[in-house]
Amino acid sequence: MPDTRTQKYAEMLSRLIQAETISQENQSDKSKFYRFHDILRGMFPHIFSACTFEDFDGSFLMLWKGTTGENPVLLMNHHDVVEAPGKWTHAPFAGEIADGRLWGRGTLDTKGGLWAMLQAADELAAEGFSPRRDTYFLSTCDEECGGTGADRISKTLLDRGIRLDMVLDEGGMIVHEPIGGANGDFAMVGLGEKGCADLKFTARSSGGHASTPGKNTPLVRLGKFMAAVEKSSIFRAEISPTVHEMFSRLADSMNGPLKFILSHSRLFAPILIKVMPMVSGAAGAMLKTTLAFTMASGSEGTNVLPQEAWVVGNMRFSHHQGGEASIAAVSWLAKKFDIETEVLSPGFSSPLSDYKTDAFRLVESAVSRTFPGVRTSPYMMTGASDSRFMSRICDNCLRFAPFRIDNAQLDTIHGIDENVSLSTLAPAVDFYRHIITEV
């Protein structure tokens, strides 16, 4: 049985999971998000009383004024979630507590993080604590559908002349053996994320009857093009300083030849660039731009050659090649197959933060204090988060959620049976208490 504190925390987070907050593109009715805000107000009365509150069409920004007002910080987690199709062991919006876990959509992504940061702040406010710095809390209702909440809020803060000293958003978590041979538990703190662009590739022809097909019809050309993308080297691989530091820190827990190679990753960079994609798809994605084909369309009849066929590709572009050069590279390749490229969304570029900063060291100390024996490592996020927009007003945008998870739990994010371990709830709150009091 969980202790009293853990049981209380689990029941609180369960209430948030039970409030369904699925977001969709072009969603005009935001009433369920406002109902969710009301739940937060009732659950965290002390911090809501201590803060100002601004609504941004279902997203919100809170400010806890500091005693000095210098070097403000921002803590953020979104409250919208993705849909929950499929057959779940525990209903996705029931918030069931069973087998030492709390089950439901949003437990990890990211109502769990939102609850932990507000719970920590609420406890401190109830104790009479006042932060030294201005401390902002931000939560959007449209992160999962690439919405405008964080974009709009960052522009608002920019217009007000606000410059943040640190931003902490969702990102890596505490995992065991992040790469093969790295023996131990590591808090993986994202120092940056790749840009995300959507591209449409269209092949055209005069069409015709399927009984008399010619050569290189639109779908055939698209197929050849997609195969060429997978085989080509148009996206340049490079190991960033962040990934070099990650290799160095993970190497300390290793034995054998890999320990030596990762400890000298700059020397062995050419070998690592070839080997890492074979070891792990996620590791390979940190090294270069990627392009995943996600949607397609041809003719509407089974016996009709399409006059127009298209595929959509989701590009995650690297910092060293960038969005413009990455799009130009794949457009050049598409042209070789007589395929047109249309940029549906160019994405948003955000820089890498530095692991040699007080902000990173603060997160590292909070991990050490609340999760004994866990080491901290920077890494490169391959997914997108709201924090990319905060790079307009902050040089230190860190991406980390203070939860221990295993590989099975990691696979449930955006999947079936998403869940968080009860044993990690209290340390997550203590992590945010450390951040707020020591910042």
Side-chain angles (χ1 to χ4, degrees), residues 152-227:
R152 180 182 169 191
I153 293 172
S154 70
K155 290 176 179 176
T156 298
L157 293 175
L158 180 65
D159 290 343
R160 292 175 183 173
I162 304 297
R163 188 75 191 170
L164 300 171
D165 191 59
M166 181 182 80
V167 168
L168 181 60
D169 193 12
E170 64 169 320
M173 301 186 198
I174 298 173
V175 296
H176 181 72
E177 197 173 6
I179 63 174
N183 186 29
D185 295 332
F186 288 85
M188 305 302 294
V189 180
L191 295 189
E193 60 188 63
K194 299 165 78 175
C196 179
D198 290 317
L199 310 176
K200 184 178 181 180
F201 303 96
T202 303
R204 307 182 192 277
S205 76
S206 58
H209 199 283
S211 62
T212 55
K215 296 291 185 181
N216 289 319
T217 56
L219 286 172
V220 171
R221 301 204 313 273
L222 286 170
K224 290 179 178 179
F225 162 67
M226 289 187 285

Side-chain angles (χ1 to χ4, degrees), residues 52-71:
T52 60
F53 182 96
E54 290 183 84
D55 168 55
F56 290 82
D57 195 24
S59 300
F60 66 81
L61 179 70
M62 299 167 61
L63 170 60
W64 195 4
K65 287 294 293 182
T67 55
T68 67
E70 298 175 353
N71 301 319

Side-chain angles (χ1 to χ4, degrees), residues 422-439:
L422 301 185
S423 60
T424 200
L425 297 182
V429 173
D430 292 340
F431 170 89
Y432 278 111
R433 285 179 64 104
H434 183 94
I435 294 292
I436 294 169
T437 56
E438 300 297 324
V439 73

Side-chain angles (χ1 to χ4, degrees), residues 88-300:
W88 288 54
T89 306
H90 302 273
F93 298 106
E96 291 186 31
I97 300 170
D99 303 321
R101 301 186 179 196
L102 171 60
W103 304 79
R105 177 63 83 223
T107 47
L108 292 173
D109 187 15
T110 62
K111 285 181 179 176
L114 174 64
W115 162 79
M117 79 178 190
L118 291 179
Q119 178 64 25
D122 194 68
E123 291 177 2
L124 289 168
E127 295 164 9
F129 172 81
S130 295
R132 183 173 63 86
R133 306 190 197 185
D134 284 355
T135 302
Y136 290 90
F137 302 98
L138 185 157
S139 186
T140 60
C141 67
D142 55 9
E143 191 274 348
E144 295 291 7
C145 54
T148 60
D151 188 16
R152 180 182 169 191
I153 293 172
S154 70
K155 290 176 179 176
T156 298
L157 293 175
L158 180 65
D159 290 343
R160 292 175 183 173
I162 304 297
R163 188 75 191 170
L164 300 171
D165 191 59
M166 181 182 80
V167 168
L168 181 60
D169 193 12
E170 64 169 320
M173 301 186 198
I174 298 173
V175 296
H176 181 72
E177 197 173 6
I179 63 174
N183 186 29
D185 295 332
F186 288 85
M188 305 302 294
V189 180
L191 295 189
E193 60 188 63
K194 299 165 78 175
C196 179
D198 290 317
L199 310 176
K200 184 178 181 180
F201 303 96
T202 303
R204 307 182 192 277
S205 76
S206 58
H209 199 283
S211 62
T212 55
K215 296 291 185 181
N216 289 319
T217 56
L219 286 172
V220 171
R221 301 204 313 273
L222 286 170
K224 290 179 178 179
F225 162 67
M226 289 187 285
V229 169
E230 288 198 350
K231 295 178 182 178
S232 73
S233 57
I234 57 172
F235 301 132
R236 190 174 71 255
E238 186 176 303
I239 301 178
S240 69
T242 296
V243 177
H244 277 301
E245 180 66 14
M246 180 188 78
F247 287 155
S248 176
R249 294 191 181 213
L250 298 184
D252 289 342
S253 66
M254 294 179 167
N255 295 303
L258 190 56
K259 176 183 180 71
F260 181 79
I261 291 173
L262 293 186
S263 297
H264 301 82
S265 60
R266 285 177 172 80
L267 177 63
F268 291 100
I271 296 174
L272 288 169
I273 285 173
K274 291 183 179 180
V275 171
M276 291 311 295
M278 303 176 191
V279 174
S280 163
M286 285 190 279
L287 307 183
K288 65 177 184 177
T289 295
T290 60
L291 181 63
F293 296 100
T294 55
M295 300 173 67
S297 178
S299 70
E300 295 183 1

